[in-house]
Amino acid sequence: MTDPDAVARALARLASGAARHRERDTDDTDSRSVVADAEAAMERVSTAAAFVDAGREAELRRAVEDADGRGDDALATRGRAVLSTLEAFRDAAGQERE
């Protein structure tokens, strides 16, 4: 069973946007890797929080922009879906616990 306090902490980290930002150039292979890593991280709130904590949300946004720029609509759509999931986690974290 998942520890509710661990989930709450992970959601709080997501909601606060606590992340280390790092600059990195992306190419096609890297963009695909970033999106795949992001998709895998969304399987659990704790891994989603770790993804954000590692500064990878900014990396994902760049990968989506790169995919858009190359006309890779499928990859950009997948990346946007992950960004939507992160936003949903943040929205959930803003809700009061019952």
Side-chain angles (χ1 to χ4, degrees), residues 38-95:
E39 288 172 325
M42 296 307 109
E43 292 180 12
R44 295 187 355 226
V45 172
S46 61
T47 55
F51 183 87
V52 171
D53 284 348
R56 301 212 53 208
E57 184 175 3
E59 191 176 352
L60 175 60
R61 289 184 188 284
R62 284 191 303 275
V64 169
E65 289 174 9
D66 290 345
D68 271 337
R70 287 190 315 277
D72 189 341
D73 295 334
L75 184 63
T77 298
R78 288 173 46 208
R80 282 191 201 94
V82 174
L83 291 169
S84 293
T85 300
L86 288 172
E87 188 61 34
F89 285 158
R90 284 192 180 97
D91 289 346
Q95 301 298 314

Side-chain angles (χ1 to χ4, degrees), residues 21-38:
H21 299 285
R22 52 188 166 149
E23 292 299 319
R24 192 167 124 156
D25 292 329
T26 56
D27 61 18
D28 182 47
T29 304
D30 193 42
S31 294
R32 290 185 184 288
S33 176
V34 170
V35 171
D37 289 351

